[in-house]
Amino acid sequence: MKMTFRWYGSDDPVTLDNIRQIPGMTGVVTAVYSVPAGEVWPTEEIDRMKKEVNDKGLEMEVIESVPVHEDIKLGRGDYKRYIENYKENIRRLAKAGVKCICYNFMPVFDWTRSRLDQPLPDGSNALVYYKEDVDKMDPTKLALPGWDASYSTSEMSQLIDAYKTLGEEGLWKNLDHFINEILPVAAECDVNMAIHPDDPPWPIFGIPRIITTEENIDRFLALYDDVHHGLTLCSGSLGCAKFNDYAAMVRKYAGMGRIHFAHVRNVKILDDGSFEESAHYSPCGSLDIVEILKAYHDAGFNGYLRPDHGRMIWGETGKPGYGLYDRALGAMYMTGIWETLDKCKGE
């Protein structure tokens, strides 16, 4: 297992110097954020970022994410050009030493929450998903960090309607086409493509979502028979739904060698299926982080892992879910578990 940390570039208040001081940290997970979705990333920008990371003694082997343009997901407009651009981005990143690319196929909206700073009983605050609040939202007027904010209200409404018309099977068809176009390039470049599950793993605002359950992940992996075609398995995304046995999923897919990137965070599932993000420590949420890491360890997982969303604690402010302190605590908690598993192996 290689412990990594999400870093949002030179403007991130969490600096590379901060990250390299976390014991056991090997590298950062980052991206080129200045280029619109669907366009080719400049080689000089990739190289500049890699040098900045390497100069601090860290690796840049994981990119999260290379966004998939909505035209690709809908199979319309300029989707053929955007697919060719995606292939070129894979080639350019491979030349820079990138080993794994995380991406998602979530229509319109990336991760969805109802509040980014919900106060918790201990005085920290966290991202939450309250179903009652989400049901009252107007999806044409939403904005969350990481979302594409370039759409007008009218354009967003038209986009949502297009996905409702497309439906799940239409989305599957377009994902199949995309995968069969890009995977030969990824295999040739020896880059692992790792899809992130839908967050949360159920339809939002009547829009289909398909990377949601074990059955659907099986269907996804069957689209292309190559080890480079794999997963970013995220405990907070799949694990926030009671219908998913997350630890069993880790055992299954890590055992198949198809998990290339692991996101680990804890969530507290509420009675109505809503959830609150919590500290990584198992008793703080509904997931057993020790069981999850043991499943990875037993499978001989040697891919990349990062502590996912953290709370804001100790007065820190910053990008919701991506402060320094709680994610650093999570990294050390998981590193400690992994060291214990290493030392107890065979006893």
Side-chain angles (χ1 to χ4, degrees):
M1 181 270 290
K2 301 185 77 171
M3 183 64 73
T4 59
F5 212 77
R6 186 77 180 266
W7 178 62
Y8 283 93
S10 302
D11 295 331
D12 194 331
V14 179
T15 67
L16 293 172
D17 281 327
N18 294 150
I19 294 169
R20 69 174 182 167
Q21 291 171 21
I22 303 170
M25 199 58 60
T26 67
V28 298
V29 177
T30 190
V32 173
Y33 298 102
S34 58
V35 178
E39 301 303 330
V40 176
W41 291 4
T43 298
E44 58 269 25
E45 182 62 18
I46 296 170
D47 292 342
R48 182 204 61 77
M49 186 169 60
K50 176 182 172 64
K51 183 178 186 305
E52 185 177 0
V53 171
N54 290 166
D55 283 351
K56 296 296 184 178
L58 296 166
E59 298 172 342
M60 191 189 80
E61 296 184 349
V62 184
I63 292 296
E64 182 184 351
S65 299
V66 180
V68 180
H69 196 277
E70 299 298 335
D71 278 5
I72 295 175
K73 299 172 195 174
L74 286 164
R76 70 178 191 184
D78 220 5
Y79 77 95
K80 291 183 180 179
R81 181 176 74 86
Y82 290 132
I83 289 176
E84 291 306 312
N85 287 351
Y86 207 99
K87 295 176 185 177
E88 181 59 23
N89 280 330
I90 294 172
R91 296 185 188 102
R92 293 187 180 195
L93 290 168
K95 287 181 181 178
V98 170
K99 308 295 185 185
C100 178
I101 295 175
C102 172
Y103 66 103
N104 73 71
F105 218 74
M106 286 181 259
V108 191
F109 305 113
D110 204 322
W111 56 274
T112 303
R113 300 291 184 270
S114 57
R115 184 167 177 177
L116 306 180
D117 57 353
Q118 176 67 29
L120 300 181
D122 63 3
S124 63
N125 63 69
L127 288 74
V128 299
Y129 182 101
Y130 295 150
K131 287 190 172 184
E132 183 178 351
D133 292 339
V134 173
D135 290 343
K136 297 175 183 176
M137 291 178 173
D138 180 350
T140 67
K141 299 177 181 178
L142 291 179
L144 286 175
W147 284 9
D148 187 343
S150 64
Y151 296 104
S152 67
T153 299
S154 175
E155 289 170 334
M156 181 62 76
S157 180
Q158 292 173 12
L159 194 58
I160 291 171
D161 288 342
Y163 277 111
K164 289 180 178 179
T165 300
L166 182 69
E168 283 192 13
E169 287 307 314
L171 192 59
W172 273 113
K173 179 182 176 181
N174 294 337
L175 176 57
D176 187 358
H177 178 73
F178 176 66
I179 291 301
N180 279 276
E181 284 285 330
I182 67 165
L183 255 297
V185 176
E188 181 181 350
C189 295
D190 196 22
V191 171
N192 290 324
M193 299 301 301
I195 198 168
H196 189 288
D198 299 341
D199 184 8
W202 52 72
I204 301 292
F205 309 123
I207 304 170
R209 291 192 165 199
I210 56 178
I211 309 301
T212 54
T213 62
E214 181 177 347
E215 179 182 3
N216 283 7
I217 291 175
D218 287 345
R219 179 175 176 177
F220 168 75
L221 291 176
L223 295 179
Y224 198 88
D225 186 17
D226 190 285
V227 70
H228 296 90
H229 176 51
L231 309 169
T232 295
L233 214 66
C234 177
S235 63
S237 300
L238 294 168
C240 70
K242 292 181 180 179
F243 53 74
N244 284 327
D245 184 341
Y246 186 76
M249 291 171 128
V250 172
R251 284 190 288 271
K252 176 177 179 176
Y253 299 119
M256 294 166 58
R258 300 301 278 274
I259 303 177
H260 301 311
F261 188 22
H263 288 185
V264 182
R265 69 173 183 257
N266 206 348
V267 291
K268 183 179 181 180
I269 303 174
L270 307 181
D271 290 340
D272 69 346
S274 300
F275 61 90
E276 299 171 343
E277 298 191 359
S278 67
H280 287 78
Y281 182 47
S282 295
C284 293
S286 301
L287 302 181
D288 188 333
I289 303 302
V290 174
E291 181 186 12
I292 289 168
L293 289 183
K294 187 175 187 302
Y296 276 113
H297 195 272
D298 289 348
F301 178 70
N302 60 1
Y304 304 92
L305 182 150
R306 73 167 175 84
D308 208 358
H309 297 172
R311 304 163 299 147
M312 286 298 179
I313 63 173
W314 303 337
E316 185 178 21
T317 59
K319 188 177 179 66
Y322 287 97
L324 170 64
Y325 304 141
D326 202 37
R327 286 189 296 153
L329 288 176
M332 286 312 304
Y333 173 57
M334 291 186 285
T335 299
I337 293 171
W338 199 268
E339 180 184 16
T340 302
L341 291 169
D342 275 343
K343 291 186 174 180
C344 292
K345 189 174 183 179
E347 290 186 3

